[in-house]
Amino acid sequence: MLNIVLFGPPGAGKGTQAEKIIEKYQLIHLSTGDILRAELAAQTPLGQEAKKYMDKGELLPDKVVIDMIGSKIEKSHDSNGFIFDGFPRTTAQAEALDILLHKKNTPISIMLSLEVEKNELVKRLLGRGQVSGRSDDQDESIIENRIKVYNNETTPVKGFYEKQGKYRPIDGMGTIDEIFERLCKVIDEAL
Ligand code: AMP
């Protein structure tokens, strides 16, 4: 099995690249942001709880997202592996993911970390906000907060995977196809 953590700040292109990776390598895409937005659209209690955090660009409590991803992993059968997008976002989430996958006898293979300059992130997010209608992509102060939360709470996750020899930084600047090519090269080395 090939289990990938696709990592990077908001606006790094994780969702776009994950779509291309799942098509090429036949993986199951688990995006916590997408799952939460679906819960919100369906007006479930989880979605309504999540909205309070998403509207401010803050992270949901670890337990909430860990339970959510745990149940998605449990429900998935017979795949080549998973690509985790937007998860784990804290070291506690990374530790919990290792335990969940250990139960399935299928560890994380590699962590691909998309590295993008801050100015470019803000530009991409504001551009996406105009087409997607995502409210957290339309307000520059929420965007600034999401990047700050990423720098403070999420970047330590790199060290977690570095210690396991699984951290692979990838240049996330350039065209979608250029970045995809860089990602595939590293994935192919891990196969
Ligand atoms: P994203 O689409 O990945 O940018 O996520 C949108 C929002 O969902 C984030 O700003 C958080 O409020 C919430 N969220 C998504 N994934 C997580 C996570 N792994 N841990 C905590 N909150 C999350």
Side-chain angles (χ1 to χ4, degrees):
M1 295 250 294
L2 173 69
N3 294 320
I4 297 175
V5 170
L6 188 56
F7 191 81
K14 299 187 294 295
T16 306
Q17 295 296 338
E19 289 304 327
K20 293 173 76 70
I21 294 170
I22 56 168
E23 200 185 314
K24 179 163 178 185
Y25 297 93
Q26 303 294 305
L27 306 176
I28 293 179
H29 184 197
L30 291 180
S31 155
T32 40
D34 285 354
I35 299 167
L36 291 169
R37 278 183 289 278
E39 294 281 339
L40 187 56
Q43 297 187 335
T44 66
L46 171 60
Q48 279 159 0
E49 178 66 13
K51 187 176 181 334
K52 296 184 209 156
Y53 297 90
M54 295 167 88
D55 280 351
K56 289 186 277 188
E58 298 289 339
L59 297 184
L60 270 76
D62 285 331
K63 185 175 180 335
V64 176
V65 278
I66 291 166
D67 288 352
M68 188 176 88
I69 214 86
S71 82
K72 294 280 176 193
I73 292 173
E74 275 310 309
K75 282 184 202 142
S76 314
H77 305 286
D78 301 335
S79 77
N80 287 344
F82 298 101
I83 180 158
F84 297 94
D85 158 6
F87 181 89
R89 260 174 153 102
T90 62
T91 310
Q93 292 181 17
E95 283 164 359
L97 180 60
D98 271 1
I99 294 168
L100 287 167
L101 292 177
H102 184 73
K103 286 187 202 149
K104 290 217 141 201
N105 265 322
T106 171
I108 290 295
S109 317
I110 41 170
M111 187 258 222
L112 303 168
S113 176
L114 289 169
E115 308 292 332
V116 179
E117 289 158 18
K118 188 182 166 212
N119 290 350
E120 175 71 11
L121 295 175
V122 177
K123 200 176 91 188
R124 287 187 193 174
L125 288 168
L126 288 171
R128 184 171 75 184
Q130 281 179 355
V131 280
S132 73
R134 263 183 71 168
S135 55
D136 60 346
D137 284 344
Q138 293 176 19
D139 181 317
E140 221 166 320
S141 68
I142 301 177
I143 290 176
E144 288 289 340
N145 194 43
R146 285 159 68 202
I147 295 173
K148 194 177 97 198
V149 167
Y150 172 81
N151 289 332
N152 294 341
E153 299 179 45
T154 305
T155 48
V157 174
K158 291 185 192 181
F160 178 89
Y161 288 107
E162 202 165 17
K163 273 191 213 137
Q164 298 187 358
K166 295 175 181 173
Y167 167 67
R168 306 280 186 278
I170 309 279
D171 178 3
M173 300 289 288
T175 67
I176 291 173
D177 287 338
E178 281 165 354
I179 300 164
F180 183 57
E181 212 173 292
R182 289 177 205 136
L183 289 165
C184 290
K185 196 164 165 267
V186 177
I187 295 172
D188 291 340
E189 281 164 13
L191 285 174

Short mmCIF file of all heavy atoms in Angstrom, two decimals, residues 5 7 91 94 98 108-113 115 155-169:
data_model
loop_
_atom_site.label_atom_id
_atom_site.label_comp_id
_atom_site.label_asym_id
_atom_site.label_seq_id
_atom_site.Cartn_x
_atom_site.Cartn_y
_atom_site.Cartn_z
N VAL A 5 0.99 11.46 3.00
CA VAL A 5 0.50 12.69 3.62
C VAL A 5 0.91 13.82 2.67
O VAL A 5 2.10 13.99 2.40
CB VAL A 5 1.12 12.94 5.01
CG1 VAL A 5 0.77 14.34 5.50
CG2 VAL A 5 0.64 11.90 6.01
N PHE A 7 1.21 17.56 2.40
CA PHE A 7 1.33 18.59 3.43
C PHE A 7 1.64 19.94 2.78
O PHE A 7 2.17 20.01 1.69
CB PHE A 7 2.49 18.16 4.35
CG PHE A 7 2.61 18.95 5.61
CD1 PHE A 7 1.81 18.67 6.70
CD2 PHE A 7 3.56 19.96 5.71
CE1 PHE A 7 1.95 19.38 7.89
CE2 PHE A 7 3.70 20.68 6.89
CZ PHE A 7 2.90 20.38 7.98
N THR A 91 0.98 17.75 15.77
CA THR A 91 1.74 16.54 16.08
C THR A 91 0.83 15.49 16.72
O THR A 91 0.97 14.30 16.46
CB THR A 91 2.91 16.89 17.02
OG1 THR A 91 3.60 18.00 16.45
CG2 THR A 91 3.88 15.75 17.17
N ALA A 94 -0.79 13.65 14.03
CA ALA A 94 0.15 12.75 13.34
C ALA A 94 0.34 11.47 14.16
O ALA A 94 0.38 10.37 13.61
CB ALA A 94 1.48 13.46 13.11
N ASP A 98 -0.75 7.56 13.03
CA ASP A 98 0.13 6.38 13.07
C ASP A 98 -0.56 5.21 13.78
O ASP A 98 -0.48 4.07 13.33
CB ASP A 98 1.45 6.71 13.80
CG ASP A 98 2.51 7.26 12.85
OD1 ASP A 98 2.22 7.39 11.65
OD2 ASP A 98 3.64 7.53 13.31
N ILE A 108 2.28 5.12 7.07
CA ILE A 108 2.52 6.21 6.12
C ILE A 108 3.81 5.89 5.36
O ILE A 108 4.81 5.49 5.95
CB ILE A 108 2.68 7.56 6.87
CG1 ILE A 108 1.34 8.03 7.46
CG2 ILE A 108 3.28 8.65 5.96
CD1 ILE A 108 0.27 8.38 6.42
N SER A 109 3.77 6.02 4.03
CA SER A 109 4.96 5.76 3.21
C SER A 109 5.85 7.00 3.16
O SER A 109 7.04 6.94 3.43
CB SER A 109 4.56 5.36 1.79
OG SER A 109 3.48 4.46 1.78
N ILE A 110 5.24 8.14 2.74
CA ILE A 110 5.99 9.40 2.66
C ILE A 110 5.10 10.59 2.97
O ILE A 110 3.88 10.54 2.81
CB ILE A 110 6.61 9.65 1.24
CG1 ILE A 110 5.64 9.26 0.14
CG2 ILE A 110 7.96 9.04 1.09
CD1 ILE A 110 6.08 9.70 -1.23
N MET A 111 5.77 11.66 3.39
CA MET A 111 5.09 12.93 3.61
C MET A 111 5.66 13.92 2.60
O MET A 111 6.86 14.22 2.61
CB MET A 111 5.36 13.39 5.04
CG MET A 111 4.56 14.60 5.40
SD MET A 111 5.52 16.07 5.33
CE MET A 111 4.95 16.88 6.81
N LEU A 112 4.80 14.39 1.68
CA LEU A 112 5.22 15.32 0.63
C LEU A 112 4.82 16.72 1.08
O LEU A 112 3.64 17.00 1.26
CB LEU A 112 4.51 14.98 -0.68
CG LEU A 112 4.73 13.56 -1.21
CD1 LEU A 112 3.75 13.26 -2.34
CD2 LEU A 112 6.16 13.41 -1.71
N SER A 113 5.81 17.56 1.27
CA SER A 113 5.54 18.90 1.82
C SER A 113 5.73 19.96 0.74
O SER A 113 6.86 20.22 0.31
CB SER A 113 6.50 19.13 2.99
OG SER A 113 6.35 20.42 3.50
N GLU A 115 6.25 23.44 -0.64
CA GLU A 115 6.83 24.68 -0.10
C GLU A 115 6.52 25.83 -1.05
O GLU A 115 6.93 25.80 -2.21
CB GLU A 115 8.36 24.53 0.05
CG GLU A 115 8.81 23.28 0.82
CD GLU A 115 8.43 23.34 2.30
OE1 GLU A 115 8.32 24.46 2.85
OE2 GLU A 115 8.22 22.27 2.90
N THR A 155 3.49 23.45 11.33
CA THR A 155 4.85 23.13 10.84
C THR A 155 5.60 22.10 11.68
O THR A 155 6.40 21.34 11.12
CB THR A 155 5.74 24.38 10.65
OG1 THR A 155 5.65 25.17 11.81
CG2 THR A 155 5.32 25.19 9.45
N PRO A 156 5.36 21.99 13.03
CA PRO A 156 6.06 20.94 13.77
C PRO A 156 5.82 19.52 13.23
O PRO A 156 6.61 18.61 13.50
CB PRO A 156 5.51 21.07 15.20
CG PRO A 156 5.04 22.49 15.30
CD PRO A 156 4.56 22.85 13.92
N VAL A 157 4.75 19.34 12.46
CA VAL A 157 4.45 18.01 11.89
C VAL A 157 5.58 17.57 10.93
O VAL A 157 5.85 16.38 10.78
CB VAL A 157 3.07 18.04 11.17
CG1 VAL A 157 2.79 16.73 10.44
CG2 VAL A 157 1.96 18.34 12.17
N LYS A 158 6.27 18.57 10.33
CA LYS A 158 7.40 18.22 9.44
C LYS A 158 8.45 17.45 10.24
O LYS A 158 8.97 16.43 9.77
CB LYS A 158 8.06 19.48 8.89
CG LYS A 158 7.23 20.25 7.91
CD LYS A 158 8.06 21.40 7.34
CE LYS A 158 7.19 22.36 6.57
NZ LYS A 158 7.95 23.47 5.99
N GLY A 159 8.77 17.95 11.43
CA GLY A 159 9.79 17.31 12.28
C GLY A 159 9.38 15.90 12.66
O GLY A 159 10.23 15.00 12.73
N PHE A 160 8.08 15.71 12.87
CA PHE A 160 7.56 14.38 13.24
C PHE A 160 7.91 13.35 12.16
O PHE A 160 8.41 12.27 12.44
CB PHE A 160 6.03 14.48 13.44
CG PHE A 160 5.37 13.18 13.78
CD1 PHE A 160 5.23 12.78 15.10
CD2 PHE A 160 4.86 12.35 12.78
CE1 PHE A 160 4.62 11.58 15.42
CE2 PHE A 160 4.24 11.16 13.10
CZ PHE A 160 4.12 10.77 14.42
N TYR A 161 7.66 13.74 10.88
CA TYR A 161 7.94 12.80 9.78
C TYR A 161 9.42 12.76 9.43
O TYR A 161 9.91 11.75 8.92
CB TYR A 161 7.07 13.12 8.57
CG TYR A 161 5.62 12.76 8.81
CD1 TYR A 161 4.66 13.74 9.03
CD2 TYR A 161 5.21 11.42 8.86
CE1 TYR A 161 3.34 13.40 9.29
CE2 TYR A 161 3.90 11.08 9.12
CZ TYR A 161 2.96 12.07 9.33
OH TYR A 161 1.65 11.73 9.60
N GLU A 162 10.12 13.88 9.68
CA GLU A 162 11.56 13.91 9.42
C GLU A 162 12.26 12.86 10.28
O GLU A 162 13.12 12.12 9.79
CB GLU A 162 12.10 15.31 9.72
CG GLU A 162 13.40 15.61 9.01
CD GLU A 162 13.73 17.09 9.02
OE1 GLU A 162 13.15 17.85 9.82
OE2 GLU A 162 14.60 17.48 8.23
N LYS A 163 11.84 12.78 11.54
CA LYS A 163 12.43 11.79 12.46
C LYS A 163 12.20 10.37 11.96
O LYS A 163 12.99 9.47 12.23
CB LYS A 163 11.79 11.92 13.85
CG LYS A 163 12.47 12.96 14.72
CD LYS A 163 11.96 12.82 16.16
CE LYS A 163 11.93 14.20 16.80
NZ LYS A 163 10.74 14.46 17.59
N GLN A 164 11.10 10.17 11.25
CA GLN A 164 10.80 8.83 10.72
C GLN A 164 11.43 8.60 9.33
O GLN A 164 11.19 7.57 8.71
CB GLN A 164 9.29 8.63 10.60
CG GLN A 164 8.55 8.70 11.94
CD GLN A 164 7.07 8.33 11.80
OE1 GLN A 164 6.58 8.05 10.70
NE2 GLN A 164 6.36 8.30 12.91
N GLY A 165 12.15 9.62 8.83
CA GLY A 165 12.78 9.50 7.50
C GLY A 165 11.79 9.56 6.36
O GLY A 165 12.06 9.08 5.25
N LYS A 166 10.62 10.18 6.61
CA LYS A 166 9.55 10.18 5.58
C LYS A 166 9.28 11.57 4.98
O LYS A 166 8.44 11.72 4.10
CB LYS A 166 8.25 9.65 6.21
CG LYS A 166 8.38 8.19 6.61
CD LYS A 166 7.15 7.70 7.33
CE LYS A 166 7.34 6.23 7.71
NZ LYS A 166 6.26 5.74 8.56
N TYR A 167 9.96 12.58 5.49
CA TYR A 167 9.70 13.97 5.06
C TYR A 167 10.39 14.26 3.73
O TYR A 167 11.58 14.05 3.59
CB TYR A 167 10.22 14.90 6.17
CG TYR A 167 10.31 16.36 5.80
CD1 TYR A 167 9.17 17.11 5.55
CD2 TYR A 167 11.56 17.00 5.74
CE1 TYR A 167 9.27 18.46 5.22
CE2 TYR A 167 11.66 18.34 5.42
CZ TYR A 167 10.52 19.06 5.16
OH TYR A 167 10.62 20.39 4.85
N ARG A 168 9.60 14.73 2.75
CA ARG A 168 10.16 15.08 1.43
C ARG A 168 9.68 16.49 1.04
O ARG A 168 8.53 16.64 0.63
CB ARG A 168 9.68 14.11 0.34
CG ARG A 168 9.91 12.64 0.62
CD ARG A 168 11.34 12.21 0.30
NE ARG A 168 11.47 10.78 0.44
CZ ARG A 168 11.66 10.14 1.60
NH1 ARG A 168 11.74 10.82 2.73
NH2 ARG A 168 11.77 8.82 1.63
N PRO A 169 10.53 17.51 1.17
CA PRO A 169 10.11 18.85 0.73
C PRO A 169 10.06 18.92 -0.79
O PRO A 169 10.92 18.36 -1.47
CB PRO A 169 11.22 19.76 1.29
CG PRO A 169 12.39 18.89 1.54
CD PRO A 169 11.91 17.48 1.70
#
